[in-house]
Amino acid sequence: MFAIPLGDDGAELSTLDPWQAEEFLAHIDRGRAFIGAHVGLPDIVTDLDTARAHLTRYADRAARDAGHIYGIRVDGLLVGGVLFVHFDTESGTAEAGCWIEPGYAGRGLVTRACRAIIDWAIEERGIHRVEWQVSPENTPSIAVARRLGMTKEGVLRENYPYRGKRNDTEIWSVLAPEWRAAKTA
């Protein structure tokens, strides 16, 4: 397994694979209420079988180069993750996302992890546009989009049914030329 350091605080980014389902489930259980406030992951990952199935879906997507999932670890403990929900090199588009346990929020871990995967997608894989879809109420995730240099493009009104309510989705994005310009600034 590879790991990319995310700074000097013991944080690193690494793959999440089906054989890590037990660790993944324990992590989701620790942050279930916090993560589930805006992200459906805790509703999907409810036991060991669903944890393994979720990671297997992403392993299959990675094999087809259609999606990727990574864990954020601090001192070896899985505390969050980032992913490409959608990844299409032919069209040059990808959608990034994230989640984090409450005790690790606000430390810049998600921003640093997203920088790493977005930079890889743009510079190594030729992705031209990276999207970020977020609930307007998820202010920490919106702050990540801003720190990543993304532009808010608009709002899809009541497009996302979540836990019995129709919710809006903000669409943010960064284009490859903008990403590169920000890196050199």
Side-chain angles (χ1 to χ4, degrees):
M1 176 171 65
F2 77 89
I4 299 170
L6 293 175
D8 59 3
D9 57 357
E12 59 186 22
L13 184 68
S14 60
T15 58
L16 275 176
D17 297 306
W19 63 269
Q20 298 166 307
E22 195 169 319
E23 175 189 25
F24 182 57
L25 176 61
H27 152 63
I28 294 299
D29 284 344
R30 288 192 304 271
R32 189 168 294 283
F34 182 80
I35 295 166
H38 300 289
V39 177
L41 186 58
D43 295 347
I44 296 167
V45 177
T46 58
D47 57 25
L48 189 55
D49 288 338
T50 56
R52 187 174 292 107
H54 187 71
L55 294 178
T56 299
R57 275 191 299 279
Y58 271 93
D60 292 343
R61 286 182 185 179
R64 293 188 324 272
D65 201 23
H68 304 274
I69 190 168
Y70 309 93
I72 300 170
R73 289 184 167 76
V74 175
D75 297 324
L77 178 68
L78 181 62
V79 299
V82 293
L83 72 161
F84 286 115
V85 178
H86 164 83
F87 195 85
D88 185 346
T89 57
E90 187 174 321
S91 69
T93 62
E95 177 194 342
C98 67
W99 73 93
I100 192 89
E101 287 183 30
Y104 293 87
R107 297 184 186 189
L109 296 169
V110 167
T111 301
R112 288 183 272 160
C114 284
R115 275 193 186 114
I117 68 168
I118 291 170
D119 197 64
W120 169 80
I122 289 172
E123 300 300 351
E124 301 295 325
R125 301 308 315 283
I127 295 295
H128 178 76
R129 172 190 169 84
V130 178
E131 290 185 3
W132 189 263
Q133 296 189 16
V134 60
S135 163
E137 288 81 35
N138 192 346
T139 54
S141 187
I142 291 169
V144 169
R146 285 189 175 114
R147 283 192 297 275
L148 293 171
M150 293 186 167
T151 299
K152 181 179 172 182
E153 296 181 336
V155 177
L156 301 175
R157 299 179 314 139
E158 296 186 5
N159 74 308
Y160 182 63
Y162 185 59
R163 294 184 174 177
K165 180 182 174 225
R166 295 206 66 84
N167 296 278
D168 293 349
T169 301
E170 290 186 4
I171 306 296
W172 293 71
S173 74
V174 65
L175 303 178
E178 298 164 342
W179 183 261
R180 290 182 183 115
K183 282 183 8 179
T184 60

